[in-house]
Amino acid sequence: LKIDEAALAKLDEQCGAVDAGKLSKAVLQPELANLSVSGDSLPVEVVRAGIVVRIHTLLISKEIVRKQVVLALVDILNKQTTPAIRSMESAGFALATCLESQGLSLYASELQALTDHTYMFIGLAGLVVGAGHALVRCLDALSCLSAEAVGGAADAFDLNYYVPHRPHRGLMQSASALR
């Protein structure tokens, strides 16, 4: 994963506009990183997707986050050293603990930026949507094979019928595949 230098420069500008003396160091409460509704960790794919979403939102937001924090998150993805996160609710604290264990001392605003958003849910939703698209493609292929096996008429899937009567893009794509 590479980050655009202009986006990183914007982070430097935002941090430079704030008086460094007004930034307070974050105080992590270790027990918060271990909040869990079950004993299992989240799947690695979900954690990685959530980190990608968080990097993106940090780059486009107005939150006061240093470039080093974003680069540390990118480093986690690039080195494939995904932290074990036990629940969606504790994801921010677990990531903050992971960053601090790598020697990066967080400011309170950075800790808040990591913990205040539901980026893991958004990452999971992205994975679900991607899987749904893949499933639809598989079902289209299965429908094609089934229609061919029973000798289905291609005229039933004529786009001239679907466009004026049922103008749904997905329906037209499936009908096109079936023809």
Side-chain angles (χ1 to χ4, degrees), residues 28 94-105:
L28 284 179
L95 273 178
T97 303
C98 178
L99 293 177
E100 289 215 339
S101 72
Q102 294 178 1
L104 184 62
S105 183

Side-chain angles (χ1 to χ4, degrees), residues 9 14 26-27 37 66 74 78 111 114 136:
Q14 288 174 348
V27 178
V37 291
R66 291 172 294 158
V74 169
N78 288 341
L111 178 62
L114 287 173
V136 166

